[in-house]
């Protein structure tokens, strides 16, 4: 699916052959959305699902071709199945709110690089096997801990894309999310295509 997302982003960008006005010369509000494949390979979980994200924010032009801003939004990283031998744990679900900083760097009048990072407040659901006690010989006795709690960690991401004009762009992105609570630690990522509209 990653190759499919790349092909879609490049094909969409290639639809515009004529040069357009430079897209990174003015401050303003923006809204964007991503959809793609989330992946989690950690502990008992090893699967992928459809994930999406949406953000709204504001960027300031700090130099020619450079915009720095703030953003806030929501991410749903889907429902991740455990490995077959851990089916009793149930699916892991990671959703959450994010707030952070972002940047948009125009390499040419149309092509850009982007970056983002900040706080990710996740709603975590899942489980893990842990040692809860020991027997008379000192050998561990294992139990199952189920988690339904919130986590305050971080996210970071990067991308590249194409500005059709001053208002509209499309891109391909990689985002990494850190979430952990009470011994349950997951690090899902999201490979996605995005669209952005700037006001």
């Amino acid at each position: 699916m990653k190759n499919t997302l790349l092909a879609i982003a490049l094909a969409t960008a290639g639809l515009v052959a004529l040069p357009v006005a430079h897209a990174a010369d003015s401050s303003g509000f923006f809204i964007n959305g991503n959809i793609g494949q989330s992946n989690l390979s950690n502990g008992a979980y090893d699967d992928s699902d459809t994930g999406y994200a949406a953000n709204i924010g504001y960027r300031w032009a700090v130099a020619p071709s450079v915009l720095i801003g703030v953003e806030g939004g929501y991410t749903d990283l889907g429902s991740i199945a455990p490995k077959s031998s851990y089916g009793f744990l149930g699916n892991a679900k990671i959703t959450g709110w994010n707030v952070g900083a972002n940047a948009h760097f125009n390499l040419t009048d149309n092509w850009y690089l982007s970056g983002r990072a900040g706080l990710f407040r996740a709603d975590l659901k899942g489980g893990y096997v842990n040692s809860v006690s020991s027997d008379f010989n000192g050998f561990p006795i294992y139990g199952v801990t189920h988690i339904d709690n919130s986590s305050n960690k971080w996210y970071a991401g990067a991308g590249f894309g194409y500005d059709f004009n001053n208002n509209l762009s499309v891109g391909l992105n990689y985002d990494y999310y850190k979430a952990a609570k009470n011994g349950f630690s997951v690090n899902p990522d999201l490979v996605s295509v995005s669209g952005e509209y700037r006001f």
Side-chain angles (χ1 to χ4, degrees):
M1 179 160 179
K2 292 180 182 179
N3 291 335
T4 302
L5 294 173
L6 177 60
I8 291 171
L10 293 177
T12 304
L15 292 176
V16 177
L18 299 175
V20 297
H22 207 284
D25 284 336
S26 59
S27 302
F29 287 97
F30 67 87
I31 185 168
N32 59 41
N34 303 43
I35 186 166
Q37 180 175 281
S38 61
N39 302 279
L40 173 58
S41 181
N42 195 344
Y45 294 93
D46 187 9
D47 197 14
S48 60
D49 196 14
T50 299
Y52 66 87
N55 290 278
I56 188 169
Y58 190 92
R59 293 193 192 100
W60 292 267
V62 296
S65 305
V66 179
L67 292 169
I68 304 293
V70 293
E71 66 180 19
Y74 180 79
T75 302
D76 186 330
L77 294 163
S79 182
I80 306 296
K83 299 173 185 176
S84 58
S85 57
Y86 292 95
F88 55 87
L89 293 176
N91 287 5
K93 297 181 180 179
I94 305 105
T95 61
W97 297 94
N98 60 273
V99 61
N102 65 78
H104 185 105
F105 307 96
N106 272 83
L107 304 175
T108 69
D109 281 351
N110 302 105
W111 293 99
Y112 72 85
L113 294 176
S114 64
R116 57 197 297 262
L119 172 69
F120 180 53
R121 180 171 176 80
D123 179 19
L124 293 176
K125 294 180 181 178
Y128 64 97
V129 177
N130 63 326
S131 174
V132 293
S133 63
S134 57
D135 63 16
F136 294 112
N137 296 315
F139 293 105
I141 298 174
Y142 292 96
V144 174
T145 298
H146 289 281
I147 299 295
D148 186 355
N149 211 326
S150 59
S151 161
N152 292 313
K153 295 296 181 181
W154 54 271
Y155 71 96
F160 73 95
Y162 191 91
D163 289 320
F164 292 103
N165 52 45
N166 283 335
N167 302 109
L168 185 63
S169 64
V170 64
L172 180 66
N173 309 278
Y174 174 83
D175 294 292
Y176 178 89
Y177 297 87
K178 180 72 175 178
K181 192 71 175 184
N182 297 336
F184 181 58
S185 178
V186 291
N187 307 303
D189 59 36
L190 177 65
V191 177
S192 65
V193 291
S194 64
E196 179 173 284
Y197 184 79
R198 292 176 290 275
F199 300 93

